[in-house]
Amino acid sequence: DPAFPNPEIERLKLDLLPEDDPRVQEAKAIFEEGAKSSPGNKGMFATGKSDYDPQGLRASMSASHEALNESLDANMPDHLPYPDWWTKQDEIIAWHKERGLPVPIGGTGWGTVPREGRIARW
């Protein structure tokens, strides 16, 4: 998909389709060839050779899909945030079970703002 060149997602989409369909085989062949974007200007602008970014990601004419994916992988977050109720999940389950209530997904209580907190100060 030229609008969203994410090879992992495109691979998953193609793997879900029937393999005996000739259109799927053609799409897989095109996918294996890789993105056929513009070769760009290789860092050569009207003002001369550009050397401020070795990967070429600062200018669209010198950027490539490979450099973009490499940069995204290098800067991928290495953590997943947890909700504030994560450490209390056993308490939440026990509280609901002892009262015979269905257990909610996650913690509740976000709508319990005190009256003073809901009064406009202006």
Side-chain angles (χ1 to χ4, degrees), residues 4-115:
F4 188 64
N6 187 326
E8 291 84 16
I9 292 177
E10 294 301 316
R11 165 72 64 202
L12 289 171
K13 285 186 205 175
L14 288 172
D15 288 344
L16 292 173
L17 297 173
E19 294 195 23
D20 57 344
D21 188 340
R23 294 173 297 176
V24 174
Q25 293 170 355
E26 180 183 345
K28 283 187 177 186
I30 292 171
F31 175 78
E32 292 301 326
E33 289 177 16
K36 292 187 176 182
S37 61
S38 169
N41 63 4
K42 310 280 192 277
M44 184 60 74
F45 294 90
T47 57
K49 184 90 173 137
S50 168
D51 60 353
Y52 58 84
D53 182 22
Q55 282 95 17
L57 292 176
R58 300 258 329 256
S60 60
M61 282 299 294
S62 59
S64 67
H65 291 297
E66 292 80 19
L68 173 65
N69 287 335
E70 182 179 317
S71 176
L72 289 174
D73 289 342
N75 294 294
M76 187 65 68
D78 58 356
H79 72 285
L80 293 175
Y82 292 101
D84 63 347
W85 51 262
W86 189 258
T87 57
K88 302 184 296 183
Q89 57 188 328
D90 293 331
E91 292 174 36
I92 294 169
I93 293 170
W95 188 90
H96 284 82
K97 284 191 175 182
E98 70 186 27
R99 287 166 176 76
L101 298 171
V103 179
I105 298 174
T108 59
W110 291 104
T112 57
V113 177
R115 182 182 64 84

